[in-house]
Structure formats: C-alpha cells, structure tokens
Amino acid sequence: MSSYPPDGPPQTTLRQRLADLRGPAVPPRPLDARALAALAANPGCGRRALLDGAGVDKTALAAALGSPAAFGQSQFAIVRGNSFEARVKGDGGVELLRLTHARLGGGAEPPGPDSRVPDLTAAGPEGRAARTALALREATAAGTWTLLDHPMLALEVAGTPAYLEPDAVVVHPDGRWTVVEIKSFPMIDGAADAAKVGAAARQAAVYVLALEQTAGKLAGAEVGHQVLLVCPKDFSNLPAAALVDVRRERAVTRRQLERLTRVEELAEGLPQGLCFDPARPAAELTEAVSAVTASYAPECLAACELAFHCRERAREAGEPAALGRSVRGELGGLTTVEAALAAAAGARADAGAHAGSGPGTDPTAAALREAARLRAEALASAAARPPYQAPETPECPC
Ligand code: SF4
C-alpha cells in the first residue's frame, strides 16, 4: 500500500526515485514531440512510459541489451533540414510570416515592419518555457504578427513535465497561435508523401496540446488546430506551405496521453535497487527491463528503440500480439500462440475451459479447427497434383 498522500509522492521523492532508476550518474534524456507521439501510440506499455518518464536513453539501453535498433535521420538529412530551416527563417522571419499570412491571414493586414521576433534565450528548459510563455503573452497583448523561433513549451505527461521545442509558433494580430513545422521532404505540385505528412501531423498535435496548456491561462489567446507545414517546393530550396488539420491527431493524442499509466505508480511497484543504467551488465539489465510490463506489437518496430528486445521476449512468451494487434483481438481468450495451435489441432483449448463450455464449443477454437482443416485439404490436393511442366518453347531463330 502506498505511503504517499492521495495526490502522489512528493516531487523531490519521485525525482530521486526516477534518477535512481536511470542511474545516479546518467543525465536524463528529455522527451521530445516525436517520442510523445510514439508513446501515445502505445499507451498500454508501462515499460516505455516508465523509461521515458525516467529519462532513460533507450537507444543506449537497447544496445546494452544486445538488441540495438537504428532510429532517427541520417547526418545528411539533418544538415539538409537545418539549412532549409535557416533559409525559411532568414531575414528576420519575413518569408515565414508571409507564408503564414498567405495561408491563414484571413482579413488581417500583412506582416509589416512592426512584426516581431522576440529573443527567447534563458537558462535551462524551465527558464526557456517561462520566457516563451511571457513572449506569447506579450505578443497576444500587442496584436502584431510575431514569430517565436524555437520556443520551449511544457506539457505534463504521466505526472512529469516534458519540454518540447517546435520549429516555430506564429502569433496572429487577432491572438491566434499557429504551430509551424518545417520539414525537408519535398512538396511536389502542392502534395507531399502522405506517411511523412501524417507523422508531422502527429508531432504537431503534441505541440498544439502543449500550447493549449499555456493558452488556457491567458484571455484572448486561441490555439489554431490547423498547423502550417513548410517543405521544399518541387526539389528546389524554395519554401512551399500547406495547412494540415490536426484535430483528429490532437484528439487521439490527448486521449492516449491521459490513459498513460502515471509514472509514480509504475515506479512504486518496482523492487528497490532496480537500475536501467546502460553501463550495467546485459543480464542485469534484461532482468530490470523484464520487471516492467510491456505491450509489444509489430507497430513498435517503427516507433520504439527497444522493439527488437521486446519482440524477442514476446516471441519467447508465445504472445499472439507479436503477430499483430488484430491477431490478438481475433484470438480472444486464447492468450498464447501455443493455445491457438492446440485449438487448431482440436485439443482442449484454454478458451473452451475459460468459457466454461468444455472443448469444441468455443467459436474461436471452432474457427481455428475449420481453418486448419481447409489448410490440410489444400495442401493434400496440391501434393496429389502432377508436378508442373513448363510448356516447350520454340528455339530462338537468332
Ligand atoms: S518496443 Fe517494448 S518498450 Fe517499446 S513500446 Fe513496444 S513494448 Fe513498449
């Protein structure tokens, strides 16, 4: 039973506990919007929630476990992206403000010499987030076009604050705030790769949620649910902009983040002395990681650094989810691959026992038996057919 007050452990105690889990000498790895979007995509995974909440470097941890996963952009793509972003924001953000006005200006006056690009420098993420909140407040009160270059936004996730840094936020004269995402993938004839736009929308939705936390305390401020996506136009280095509606992504992400198990509850249930410091031996780390429940699905391969490790464990345990979330859903009460195979072979499956109706009456088991029978029939008829003979082709005259 928890000895903490009803509103959770004191923050200093929780911070110390998370530092112990990370390794006392290991600096915390900050959460970014990409990680949060991935976290929200698998809210049932306590392992990821705890490791991200404690600021564990999952890339280093996966390598120490012997299952490294390559993630992130290539060095070339990073350099190209940075140079494009610098170009888009060059000259005091004139071009970016012009693009915003062209897409979202409504009846507002175009940005003029009174447009502002406030200085957001401050010490540490907390200081930068406070400086950004102040700049947003001042820009909303001033009623002029304002460009916030790399602002810092705070968003509380599973009881701990995450600091997020969008490419830019534009404040309109009417008090609207718009998230700007600058990407290096091309926009050809006004359209870009749908998968990349979808990923950018999920990331931008996290920024929108963080901005809403700040805007909620400020009269007259409103956060736009359309974000401005800026990409290179037709393989050139010129910027093209399009509006992306992130209402759906925002709603999904908010729901998923709310469902995330609170980090202190996860940390509380773990044995003392547990540590995810990548410098520890692999066997010790494997045991530590296994102490936190995971929810592996093949989608993890595109979103989480621990995917290869978790896939291996899920396969060892015979979890149907390793074959896909839809397979797990279809199998219902059959909770292991072994049980599903036994049901297909006609043996008493735990689903039948679970349903209390005896063997042979569970519809999933019956469907599996039928599928196994059809497969056996198809294989037998294929084996009975004479081997395929390729037709003789006339000799080539040349
Ligand atoms: S790979 Fe593992 S830790 Fe990461 S989200 Fe999937 S189950 Fe969770």
Side-chain angles (χ1 to χ4, degrees), residues 42 45 47-48 51 58 294-297 300 304-307 310:
N42 192 356
C45 182
R47 186 174 293 171
R48 177 159 191 156
L51 294 173
K58 296 198 300 304
S295 174
Y296 175 79
C300 293
C304 184
E305 295 84 344
L306 286 180
C310 294

Side-chain angles (χ1 to χ4, degrees), residues 152-241:
M152 184 64 81
L153 308 172
L155 177 68
E156 190 169 307
V157 180
T160 42
Y163 293 97
L164 314 165
E165 193 175 342
D167 292 331
V169 170
V170 171
V171 180
H172 301 236
D174 62 3
R176 236 174 335 136
W177 303 352
T178 297
V179 171
V180 179
E181 271 296 282
I182 302 173
K183 297 291 181 193
S184 58
F185 54 80
M187 200 177 282
I188 300 163
D189 292 335
D193 184 313
K196 289 179 178 166
V197 174
R202 285 192 292 278
Q203 200 177 327
V206 179
Y207 298 137
V208 168
L209 286 172
L211 266 183
E212 282 177 342
Q213 282 196 355
T214 309
K217 304 165 199 158
L218 191 59
E222 187 200 337
V223 182
H225 289 170
Q226 285 190 312
V227 302
L228 191 75
L229 178 66
V230 183
C231 298
K233 185 180 178 194
D234 302 335
F235 302 113
S236 72
N237 213 16
L238 297 171

Side-chain angles (χ1 to χ4, degrees), residues 57-98:
D57 182 344
K58 296 198 300 304
T59 306
L61 179 61
L65 286 164
S67 311
F71 266 98
Q73 291 179 302
S74 70
Q75 202 54 34
F76 173 73
I78 291 170
V79 170
R80 186 165 177 270
N82 288 345
S83 106
F84 177 66
E85 184 177 333
R87 186 192 164 107
V88 172
K89 290 180 179 169
D91 200 14
V94 171
E95 179 62 6
L96 189 49
L97 286 171
R98 187 193 68 75

